[in-house]
Amino acid sequence: MSFLKLENVCKSFGGAPVLKEVNLSLIEGEFVAIVGYSGQGKSTLMSLIAGLTQPDSGTIMLEGKPVTGPGPDRGLVFQNYSLLPWLTVAENIALAVEAVFPAFTPAESAAHVAKYIAKVKLSHASDRLPAQLSGGMKQRVSVARTLAINPRILLLDEPLSALDALTRANLQDEISQIWQSDKKTVILITNSVDEALYLADRIIPLTLGPGATLASPITVDLPRPRDRIALNHEPEFKRLRAQITAQLLGYGAQRKQTVSRKLVLPDILPEDLDAPRVKRPPRRPSEEKRELVITN
Amino acid sequence: MSQFLEISRLHKTFPTPKGPLTVVKDFTLHIRRGEFIALIGHSGCGKSTVLSMAAGLTDVTEGAIILAGKEVVGAGPDRGVVFQAPCLLPWFTAFENVMLGVDQVYYTASRLERRQIAEYYLSLVGLADAMHKRPAELSQGMRQRCGIARAFALSPKMLLLDEPFGMLDNLTKMELQDVLLDLWQRDQKTALMVTHDVDEALYLADRIVMMTDGPEATVGDILEVPFARPRDRRAMLENPEYYRLREYLIHFLNERSHHRPASSDQPPSPPAASAPTPAAIHRSHAPVAAGRH
């Protein structure tokens, strides 16, 4: 039986279809990456699984039970961190822990929070406010908060997209390590093929909207633990990287305008603005006039 | 005159409370007409400072930048700059943003001709149907397309691109790389692009200039990119040579960028770019080059 199952899920906003007949099936402990363009409904899909919005039709089942609203069995990590600015790192995490584990004594709660702060290597910063943290550190707090409520499935909604390349690589390593030690089921949404190939067991491209849906999954058969440098030598990595990139760019090519119009580029040269302005016809190069019809 | 842009012995010093800080030291680079150069290095190494000096937006402390036989002093329309943020005026449409420069530079041309120039470039970057929208109505990728059209429309001698796709998601980035390459090939422009994306540099550039870490950043190494044009991204991504070069660049950024190529009292000689070798990769390690002096 699949752990998470989406069947014919459709969602539209104001009559405009966003997602159409989305089918997805995950087994427990699997790491799945969904790759697609911005604005095509990736985050809508995440909100549906998290229970923050309801599908127009179709069903979402987690461990055999239908998803009807948000719950601590699904942990969501947002791109924008979503930390409360007036609470410290420890207080932000404690807020979630106390809501999910009301039976904890204050000491148990504090120990639990400290354990997860240590897991994302932020013990030195547990008394800082979010404003005193870098983007990468904020995202680590957000990951720690999600892990601390011990969800059945982790939903990562472009968690690393706002970070620079170096911080991004470090956090990818941390996510990979956490996933390997905890063996949680993970859905990662990303726009980076490299990130997906580095982390996931399966990659599912999202087609272009309106009415986007999931394309056939691609199995990433690369040995773990994965090493960024070693992957460069892996023929399978190169093949998948080229294949998935081409597939996604193919979707992008479809949405190009199909209008064709005649464009004229006048054969004139720019003026030297340092020279005094004169009234005279424009300077023209000696070569012949360029004129062409563009069809995009 | 084979060198189109000559950056010679460039130094840049900023005053700080602790005394002057030399950010860029002895940076020498010669670019041929029509060449596409990518400048890579870590954040804050000074690559944008070099570009900014070439654009004339930052003063040169020592050394010179000569574009087509004329020294660069101040900003001018002969160099088209594309910034990381599109920097469009929000109360103007995309078309009006492009026209702002076009009206200046082609002031002798007719109103119709000027419109045609703006429409031509805006259509080529894929904004044919959106050129009369304001920046707020455009996606980040579309705004950056407008920034590219604005730079090309002035028919500059040289294009200076400062991480133009740094703010875009990976897929939009790849689309815009193709837009840029298409225009660059069509207009046969000379381009200098700052990036920290190794894949982007390999896909776009003829030569990749690797900068050492600042302060006192300089040219650490130059990589000649051997792939024929027009380039096919899919074929490149499956090419073992591509991954060899990619690893070479990553190795430089991870390991070698921390070391200056020569002792600071002995200036490194200009990179061997002025005498290109047929080899796919030629290294301009200054310790070797310095031996000739």
Side-chain angles (χ1 to χ4, degrees):
Chain A
M1 192 191 77
S2 49
F3 185 71
L4 175 76
K5 197 170 180 65
L6 275 73
E7 264 180 316
N8 292 323
V9 170
C10 299
K11 179 73 188 173
S12 55
F13 289 117
V18 177
L19 293 171
K20 215 166 136 186
E21 288 175 20
V22 174
N23 289 292
L24 174 67
S25 175
L26 263 75
I27 54 170
E28 187 161 11
E30 200 181 12
F31 198 128
V32 167
I34 295 172
V35 189
Y37 284 89
S38 301
Q40 299 308 320
K42 294 200 299 283
S43 296
T44 305
L45 181 60
M46 251 346 182
S47 300
L48 287 169
I49 298 171
L52 298 172
T53 46
Q54 299 302 314
D56 297 344
S57 62
T59 54
I60 302 171
M61 308 282 277
L62 181 68
E63 296 182 288
K65 287 179 294 216
V67 167
T68 51
D73 52 343
R74 282 148 288 140
L76 185 55
V77 177
F78 301 94
Q79 185 179 351
N80 63 3
Y81 327 126
S82 308
L83 302 174
L84 296 177
W86 60 90
L87 296 181
T88 65
V89 168
E91 288 166 346
N92 262 293
I93 298 172
L95 189 69
V97 169
E98 280 155 21
V100 175
F101 304 108
F104 273 6
T105 63
E108 278 174 334
S109 172
H112 190 79
V113 168
K115 179 181 147 196
Y116 283 93
I117 292 179
K119 205 165 200 159
V120 295
K121 302 183 182 102
L122 277 180
S123 300
H124 64 285
S126 62
D127 293 328
R128 289 204 216 160
L129 293 171
Q132 297 165 317
L133 303 175
S134 70
M137 289 163 91
K138 283 185 217 169
Q139 195 54 283
R140 301 218 303 255
V141 179
S142 179
V143 169
R145 179 178 57 184
T146 308
L147 289 172
I149 61 169
N150 201 15
R152 300 285 294 143
I153 182 166
L154 265 181
L155 306 171
L156 308 176
D157 188 1
E158 300 205 35
L160 310 180
S161 298
L163 307 174
D164 68 272
L166 211 62
T167 315
R168 195 169 175 156
N170 287 340
L171 265 167
Q172 283 170 3
D173 292 343
E174 276 175 38
I175 289 176
S176 178
Q177 277 161 17
I178 288 168
W179 175 76
Q180 271 167 11
S181 61
D182 287 18
K183 282 292 167 201
K184 289 242 183 293
T185 313
V186 180
I187 302 180
L188 168 74
I189 279 184
T190 182
N191 53 48
S192 162
V193 176
D194 284 347
E195 187 168 290
L197 280 170
Y198 182 62
L199 292 170
D201 295 318
R202 282 194 298 157
I203 296 178
I204 310 178
L206 186 72
T207 65
L208 230 53
T213 193
L214 295 174
S216 335
I218 298 150
T219 304
V220 184
D221 205 359
L222 297 168
R224 289 182 190 269
R226 293 176 189 160
D227 176 82
R228 242 180 230 95
I229 306 284
L231 276 182
N232 265 321
H233 300 287
E234 197 77 51
E236 178 68 1
F237 171 75
K238 293 176 204 175
R239 192 186 67 77
L240 287 171
R241 191 168 187 250
Q243 180 200 331
I244 299 168
T245 305
Q247 185 175 347
L248 287 164
L249 288 176
Y251 296 147
Q254 288 166 18
R255 82 176 151 185
K256 284 205 176 128
Q257 315 118 302
T258 45
V259 288
S260 69
R261 66 185 72 180
K262 196 171 178 207
L263 293 172
V264 181
L265 181 65
D267 58 338
I268 48 180
L269 293 176
E271 299 292 339
D272 182 359
L273 296 186
D274 291 336
R277 292 211 167 194
V278 282
K279 263 201 145 169
R280 57 169 174 76
R283 297 188 294 148
R284 291 181 192 278
S286 50
E287 62 204 75
E288 62 193 78
K289 191 175 162 78
R290 282 195 292 167
E291 192 167 325
L292 58 157
V293 182
I294 306 297
T295 48
N296 270 334
Chain B
M1 200 198 68
S2 62
Q3 302 308 330
F4 192 63
L5 181 78
E6 291 180 56
I7 303 177
S8 307
R9 294 277 175 97
L10 199 64
H11 291 248
K12 179 67 196 176
T13 308
F14 287 109
T16 67
K18 290 180 197 159
L21 175 73
T22 304
V23 176
V24 177
K25 185 162 178 169
D26 247 317
F27 184 97
T28 299
L29 177 67
H30 294 180
I31 303 177
R32 294 186 289 272
R33 183 187 285 273
E35 214 177 4
F36 199 122
I37 300 285
L39 193 57
I40 66 166
H42 282 297
S43 301
C45 78
K47 48 195 195 313
S48 292
T49 308
V50 170
L51 195 93
S52 174
M53 285 191 278
L57 299 171
T58 306
D59 291 333
V60 173
T61 307
E62 205 181 299
I65 302 174
I66 294 166
L67 175 64
K70 215 173 111 186
E71 188 171 353
V72 166
V73 183
D78 55 339
R79 281 148 290 141
V81 185
V82 181
F83 300 97
Q84 184 170 11
C87 302
L88 303 174
L89 297 178
W91 59 90
F92 277 171
T93 63
F95 177 77
E96 287 164 344
N97 266 291
V98 174
M99 280 303 276
L100 197 65
V102 168
D103 281 340
Q104 295 281 316
V105 163
Y106 300 102
Y107 68 91
T108 49
S110 69
R111 178 96 193 129
L112 174 70
E113 282 174 320
R114 294 196 300 245
R115 287 189 70 91
Q116 283 172 339
I117 290 171
E119 278 167 8
Y120 178 87
Y121 284 102
L122 281 161
S123 303
L124 246 54
V125 297
L127 290 179
D129 294 327
M131 65 171 82
H132 297 297
K133 289 185 177 171
R134 291 206 172 84
E137 300 168 81
L138 302 174
S139 69
Q140 190 72 10
M142 288 164 100
R143 286 179 214 161
Q144 200 53 279
R145 284 172 197 261
C146 181
I148 294 172
R150 179 175 58 181
F152 273 93
L154 303 187
S155 192
K157 291 183 186 139
M158 176 94 205
L159 273 173
L160 301 168
L161 307 131
D162 190 2
E163 294 191 39
F165 310 134
M167 284 168 70
L168 305 176
D169 71 77
N170 282 279
L171 295 165
T172 312
K173 189 190 252 192
M174 287 190 243
E175 285 187 323
L176 264 93
Q177 287 165 1
D178 287 323
V179 166
L180 174 66
L181 265 193
D182 178 54
L183 271 177
W184 170 77
Q185 242 146 8
R186 204 183 280 267
D187 283 11
Q188 297 177 347
K189 285 276 172 274
T190 311
L192 175 63
M193 173 170 183
V194 163
T195 178
H196 57 239
D197 183 336
V198 168
D199 289 306
E200 180 167 276
L202 278 170
Y203 184 57
L204 296 175
D206 293 313
R207 282 191 296 153
I208 301 174
V209 177
M210 289 159 258
M211 269 181 88
T212 60
D213 289 352
E216 304 195 351
T218 190
V219 176
D221 198 352
I222 297 181
L223 179 76
E224 198 101 11
V225 184
F227 305 113
R229 293 188 189 270
R231 289 180 181 165
D232 174 356
R233 193 189 297 270
R234 177 150 196 189
M236 272 178 73
L237 285 180
E238 285 181 78
N239 190 337
E241 177 69 1
Y242 174 86
Y243 286 90
R244 209 178 61 73
L245 299 178
R246 185 168 186 262
E247 199 171 313
Y248 184 81
L249 292 169
I250 292 171
H251 177 74
F252 177 89
L253 290 177
N254 288 345
E255 313 286 338
R256 291 174 44 213
S257 62
H258 317 311
H259 312 292
R260 274 186 65 78
S263 60
S264 49
D265 49 278
Q266 193 172 24
S269 71
S274 45
T277 56
I281 303 174
H282 69 83
R283 296 162 190 194
S284 63
H285 286 303
V288 179
R292 281 192 248 125
H293 284 254

